[in-house]
């Protein structure tokens, strides 16, 4: 009973009978969910996660696939209703602007633990998705430059959604922090104060300019 309350109030909960080290997120409430952190804990530090994932791929079960598809469908319906179906990444002088695709900012195959988080999903046009996010339609390759653009755009969308009462609130600031920490393989974002989106943008700029 404690962890659902902890999730509701965005605070620490219980883990194996003790106080949890992290704020309770939605995935922690689900029984029998595979702990992808444990699956990747044996990864040698010298091997990039992408290479390790290719060597030891994780097979998705039906429930995981269902959750990912459900998250994609949810975001697409929300974007169609409250953003007129437009791309969440607006580009100047870009004629095509209908978002038909939902893209994982951090690849599903490399970061399965955040694959069903809507904070890791962004609505894009087919050209944005298959020519820019995945150059030459190579879905195994992610453009880091375009990944950065997607994160900047998503940060703005999440900020707008959490600060304004115009539309239903669908995002969680804490879940976004979790997605950024996992996707960028860091703990830096844990130090960001609640709703400090300027700090998030600064950290993103530092990360991508360095890498």
């Amino acid at each position: 009973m404690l962890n659902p309350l902890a999730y509701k109030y965005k605070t620490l909960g219980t883990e194996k009978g003790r106080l949890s080290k992290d704020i309770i997120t939605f995935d922690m409430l689900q029984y029998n969910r595979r702990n992808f952190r444990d699956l990747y804990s044996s990864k040698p530090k010298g091997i990039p996660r992408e290479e390790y994932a290719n060597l030891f791929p994780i097979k998705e079960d039906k429930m995981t696939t269902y959750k990912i598809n459900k998250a994609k469908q949810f975001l697409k319906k929300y974007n169609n209703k409250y953003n007129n179906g437009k791309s969440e990444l607006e580009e100047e002088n870009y004629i095509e602007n209908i978002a038909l695709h939902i893209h994982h900012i951090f690849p599903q195959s490399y970061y399965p633990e955040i694959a069903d988080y809507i904070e890791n999903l962004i609505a894009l046009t087919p050209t944005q998705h298959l020519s820019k996010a995945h150059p030459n339609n190579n879905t195994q390759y992610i453009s880091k430059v375009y990944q950065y653009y997607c994160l900047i755009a998503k940060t703005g969308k999440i900020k707008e959604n959490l600060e304004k009462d115009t539309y239903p609130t669908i995002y969680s600031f804490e879940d976004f922090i979790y997605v950024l920490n996992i996707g960028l393989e860091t703990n830096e974002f844990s130090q960001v104060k609640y709703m400090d989106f300027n700090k998030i943008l600064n950290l993103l700029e530092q990360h991508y300019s360095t890498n």
Side-chain angles (χ1 to χ4, degrees):
M1 294 299 294
L2 291 177
N3 281 348
L5 290 172
Y7 171 73
K8 178 179 179 181
Y9 293 105
K10 310 300 182 186
T11 186
L12 301 178
T14 63
E15 186 176 7
K16 296 181 179 179
R18 299 178 182 273
L19 185 67
S20 65
K21 296 180 181 179
D22 303 307
I23 291 175
I24 299 299
T25 54
F26 182 71
D27 62 301
M28 297 178 184
L29 303 181
Q30 302 170 64
Y31 292 106
N32 298 324
R33 174 162 177 154
R34 292 168 300 168
N35 190 333
F36 291 113
R37 287 185 182 180
D38 292 342
L39 292 174
Y40 278 106
S41 62
S42 58
K43 179 185 76 66
K45 291 185 178 181
I47 300 180
R49 180 183 273 236
E50 290 89 343
E51 182 179 342
Y52 189 79
N54 289 330
L55 292 173
F56 303 100
I58 297 174
K59 293 184 178 180
E60 293 179 4
D61 55 31
K62 292 183 179 180
M63 181 56 70
T64 301
T65 302
Y66 167 77
K67 291 175 183 176
I68 294 171
N69 290 335
K70 184 178 179 181
K72 285 184 172 183
Q73 292 169 8
F74 174 80
L75 180 61
K76 189 170 185 178
K77 288 181 180 179
Y78 183 90
N79 190 64
N80 287 341
K81 185 173 183 179
Y82 297 106
N83 193 38
N84 296 318
K86 296 180 179 179
S87 171
E88 291 188 274
L89 201 172
E90 299 179 12
E91 298 189 53
E92 200 171 344
N93 300 323
Y94 196 62
I95 298 176
E96 181 190 19
N97 198 32
I98 302 301
L100 300 177
H101 293 192
I102 302 298
H103 168 64
H104 278 101
I105 301 175
F106 298 110
Q108 174 181 337
S109 57
Y110 301 152
Y111 303 94
E113 60 266 58
I114 53 174
D116 60 349
Y117 278 64
I118 57 173
E119 291 81 6
N120 184 36
L121 299 174
I122 187 168
L124 299 177
T125 69
T127 300
Q128 286 177 320
H129 187 205
L130 299 177
S131 295
K132 297 184 177 183
H134 300 292
N136 300 318
N137 199 14
N138 182 359
T139 56
Q140 299 303 311
Y141 177 77
I142 293 286
S143 166
K144 293 295 184 180
V145 174
Y146 211 72
Q147 184 181 68
Y148 172 67
Y149 294 156
C150 287
L151 284 172
I152 296 300
K154 197 66 190 184
T155 300
K157 289 296 182 182
I158 293 175
K159 179 178 185 293
E160 181 181 21
N161 182 254
L162 293 177
E163 289 184 346
K164 296 183 179 180
D165 296 329
T166 310
Y167 307 123
T169 301
I170 63 170
Y171 295 110
S172 161
F173 185 83
E174 292 81 2
D175 285 352
F176 188 40
I177 293 297
Y178 175 70
V179 165
L180 292 173
N181 277 334
I182 295 296
L184 297 175
E185 300 181 32
T186 180
N187 289 317
E188 289 184 340
F189 291 90
S190 298
Q191 308 304 318
V192 177
K193 295 181 180 179
Y194 183 68
M195 297 296 284
D196 189 350
F197 288 97
N198 286 331
K199 181 64 174 178
I200 289 178
L201 293 175
N202 289 335
L203 288 175
L204 287 174
E205 182 177 359
Q206 291 175 23
H207 177 87
Y208 282 90
S209 62
T210 302
N211 297 277

